[in-house]
Amino acid sequence: MTNVSAPTAPGDFVHPALFYQGGAEYLAGVGGFVRAALAADEPVLVAVPGPRLDALRESLGLGSAEVTWTDMTQLGRNPGRILAALQDFADRHDGRPARIVGEPIWPGRSQAEVLEATRHEALINTAFAGRRATILCPYDVLGLPAAVVSDARRTHPTVIAEGKDLLSPEYADASVVCADCDDPLPEPDAAVPRFAYASGELGEVRAYTESWARGTALSTARRGDLVLAVSEAAANSVAHGGGSGSLRLWSTAGGGVVAEIRDGGNLADPLQGRRRPSLASVDGGRGLWMIHQLCDLVEIRASDSGLTLRMHMACS
């Protein structure tokens, strides 16, 4: 297995996609990456789906003292949460080159989740530009749709396949990939009433959401999370979206819920909400970051008429 290239100078960032076929290739590729990092005395984070995580730990015989292990099905349930976690890990080891394994797309992901995870992969290149780090992203080429593998070639400057580490000629700018991820949001199956609000009416938004949520399958704790997420989104509408907005709420077939906020705002920074805001920040971003932490999926679409924010929450 070809060794993954590592940063060679300050400011280098390496972001390869590892195309693997089967468990043996996975353990060889990812395991070799981890061993090389440990041999170089570099901090390592491994964030992959649980079954892969267990197989790696057993194969490598390593514990939490050597490697930081994270189940990506929990961390990355909402792909919008992943980037902040990767940056937090790198920040904790500031001054040292960080090595990270991140597998944000696995078989069984919904199309909406795949789109947001693809957006995440593209934005990694922007967020880590100028940092001395390597983020290896495994892709199961046998279990994933061909379109997902094709997009991986667009979001990673290099790809590793069949033992070869090569430049990806399909690699594209993050702005192009993110624009391609902006598929139209599907309408709910049935008509859903729209609750309009303006400045001074955030209490009414909260009360409306609390009342509606009581009739859903959400637990008491998750109902509280929903109310908080909607409150933060509505507050953003008032502060940054033209002073008003509208809310729609509906349940999904699986017992989850969707909350949609529309207003006249925009999202100038595609990384907003995906990285932890500084406590000293004066330009906002805290509300959207909190929404990403609370929700299981966040979808944002911008148009000439304004911004649409959809927040998904599973019943468990």
Side-chain angles (χ1 to χ4, degrees):
M1 184 71 187
T2 300
N3 289 332
V4 178
S5 302
T8 57
D12 285 354
F13 174 55
V14 182
H15 184 209
L18 170 65
F19 293 156
Y20 68 89
Q21 300 184 40
E25 281 194 12
Y26 186 87
L27 294 176
V30 179
F33 177 81
V34 173
R35 290 190 185 95
L38 294 175
D41 193 29
E42 295 174 352
V44 187
L45 167 66
V46 177
V48 301
R52 294 298 193 195
L53 199 70
D54 294 339
L56 279 169
R57 296 178 77 162
E58 181 178 352
S59 172
L60 292 168
L62 300 172
S64 56
E66 297 93 351
V67 177
T68 299
W69 305 94
T70 301
D71 187 345
M72 185 61 94
T73 62
Q74 297 177 19
L75 167 65
R77 186 169 186 170
N78 171 17
R81 287 199 293 255
I82 303 172
L83 187 54
L86 304 190
Q87 288 187 306
D88 285 350
F89 177 80
D91 289 344
R92 290 197 300 274
H93 303 280
D94 193 28
R96 301 174 64 195
R99 295 252 194 156
I100 298 170
V101 182
E103 188 170 4
I105 304 177
W106 55 87
R109 279 285 217 185
S110 70
Q111 177 61 17
E113 291 169 345
V114 167
L115 285 175
E116 293 308 315
T118 300
R119 191 191 307 274
H120 153 77
E121 288 278 57
L123 291 173
I124 281 180
N125 301 300
T126 301
F128 274 83
R131 300 195 69 160
R132 197 175 182 202
T134 303
I135 300 179
L136 176 71
C137 301
Y139 280 80
D140 181 355
V141 297
L142 297 180
L144 293 170
V148 172
V149 178
S150 178
D151 277 338
R153 296 182 181 277
R154 302 177 69 218
T155 55
H156 295 78
T158 62
V159 297
I160 302 169
E162 298 179 350
K164 297 178 181 179
D165 187 355
L166 303 170
L167 292 175
S168 175
E170 294 91 348
Y171 177 63
D173 187 81
S175 62
V176 175
V177 177
C178 289
D180 290 342
C181 290
D182 286 339
D183 284 358
L185 295 173
E187 283 296 302
D189 294 335
V192 177
R194 192 177 297 277
F195 182 85
Y197 58 88
S199 179
E201 299 176 341
L202 295 181
E204 286 84 345
V205 173
R206 184 181 183 92
Y208 178 79
T209 306
E210 286 177 335
S211 176
W212 180 87
R214 292 190 199 104
T216 70
L218 295 181
S219 66
T220 301
R222 291 303 274 160
R223 290 202 301 268
D225 290 341
L226 175 67
V227 172
L228 181 53
V230 170
S231 297
E232 290 292 337
N236 277 347
S237 294
V238 171
H240 309 292
S244 63
S246 65
L247 166 68
R248 292 197 300 173
L249 297 161
W250 66 91
S251 296
T252 63
V257 303
V258 180
E260 178 189 270
I261 293 282
R262 291 190 180 186
D263 58 39
N266 60 69
L267 192 67
D269 180 4
L271 289 172
Q272 188 171 354
R274 290 176 178 261
R275 53 188 174 191
R276 186 188 300 273
S278 166
L279 293 176
S281 174
V282 296
D283 58 358
R286 295 185 186 87
L288 188 52
W289 182 83
M290 184 179 295
I291 288 167
H292 273 295
Q293 306 313 304
L294 292 168
C295 298
D296 296 312
L297 177 66
V298 176
E299 299 175 283
I300 302 175
R301 298 291 187 270
S303 68
D304 293 339
S305 60
L307 201 68
T308 300
L309 171 66
R310 277 195 185 174
M311 300 163 283
H312 299 246
M313 199 164 285
C315 62
S316 60

